[in-house]
Amino acid sequence: MLYCIGLGLSDEKDITLKGLEIVRRAERVYLEAYTSILMVSREKLEEFYGREVIVADRELVESDSDVILRDASSIDIAFLVVGDPFGATTHLDLLLRARSLQIPVKTIHNASIMNAVGACGLQLYNFGQTVSMVFFTETWKPSSFYDKIRENVKIGLHTLVLLDIKVKEQSEENLARGRKIYEPPRYMTVAQCASQMLAIEDIRQEGVYTKSSLAIGIARLGSNDQIFAAGTLEDLAATDLGPPLHSLVLVGKVHDMEVDFIREFAVDSTKFNTIFPKGT
């Protein structure tokens, strides 16, 4: 059996009891390490699980999945995913490969950003399409996210923006030369995301959002030091929320109860109370 096991959001103790039992009896245990990260080291996981954990990078999962699936029709293999196994569509490739080899698959679910984002105070059923924000370069500034946000804004829905991470990435030169030299990990911040969103609005100028649009920055969701920061995109572009992981929510039409909840997270209380006076 191939078991796809969600690890939750924060540390080694977020795994479910069912997932932990499988990890401790599986023949091999892999940790997917490129779509997201836990806030603890692999060594901390190994200490808690009492097992060796093999780090599975993008190349192994997407190009050499047969290594992971080897003998999975006769032994148990655990594939660990930060959050929930279906939080990232990339894992469908591995499951489809297992299916083609007639390897049974079972999923153990867990919390992910997709449902835990409700902790920011916005009601989950008022969220629209989720979008991703990648790191811009001098020559590459993709804006497909802008069109999806427009559709959400048109009907008053909130937009969860997932921020880019770069783990075990090669520079263009090293990639072209076939050199296995990797760049240091990079994790996009809320400030970078807000700045890039405003840069695309300046280019597109369709008024989907403005520098005065309300958004919520989220950092280290699910951890003991999680942070929520509510403010305009302009405010968040100048706000430091500390270490990763970060995400951002562009706020749509808000209910009074949502406003009351997020008021506590205001970056600038005076400005927030001007936009949403108390008691109205």
Side-chain angles (χ1 to χ4, degrees), residues 118-135:
C120 76
L122 300 177
Q123 297 167 2
L124 287 178
Y125 54 77
N126 287 333
F127 278 77
Q129 302 173 86
T130 297
V131 302
S132 297
M133 178 68 69
V134 302
F135 282 108

Side-chain angles (χ1 to χ4, degrees), residues 45-58:
L45 294 181
E46 290 180 328
E47 179 184 351
F48 185 73
Y49 298 159
R51 294 296 314 279
E52 177 191 8
V53 174
I54 305 166
V55 173
D57 59 19
R58 184 186 297 274

Side-chain angles (χ1 to χ4, degrees), residues 226-251:
Q226 68 181 13
I227 291 177
F228 303 102
T232 64
L233 284 174
E234 184 178 41
D235 291 333
L236 293 184
T239 300
D240 181 3
L241 298 185
L245 290 171
H246 291 191
S247 52
L248 180 145
V249 178
L250 184 66
V251 179

Side-chain angles (χ1 to χ4, degrees), residues 207-242:
V208 169
Y209 49 79
T210 70
K211 64 181 182 180
S212 298
S213 294
L214 181 64
I216 301 175
I218 304 171
R220 300 172 299 285
L221 182 61
S223 70
N224 290 331
D225 65 342
Q226 68 181 13
I227 291 177
F228 303 102
T232 64
L233 284 174
E234 184 178 41
D235 291 333
L236 293 184
T239 300
D240 181 3
L241 298 185

Side-chain angles (χ1 to χ4, degrees), residues 143-171:
S143 62
S144 57
F145 71 88
Y146 186 87
D147 301 309
K148 292 182 179 180
I149 291 178
R150 183 200 298 110
E151 294 173 5
N152 289 344
V153 168
K154 187 175 181 180
I155 52 178
L157 298 178
H158 312 309
T159 303
L160 171 61
V161 186
L162 302 177
L163 310 192
D164 200 5
I165 70 173
K166 297 290 187 184
V167 179
K168 204 175 180 181
E169 296 279 340
Q170 294 172 270
S171 67

Side-chain angles (χ1 to χ4, degrees), residues 14 59 110 117 152 191 242:
D14 281 350
E59 183 178 353
N110 210 322
V117 68
N152 289 344

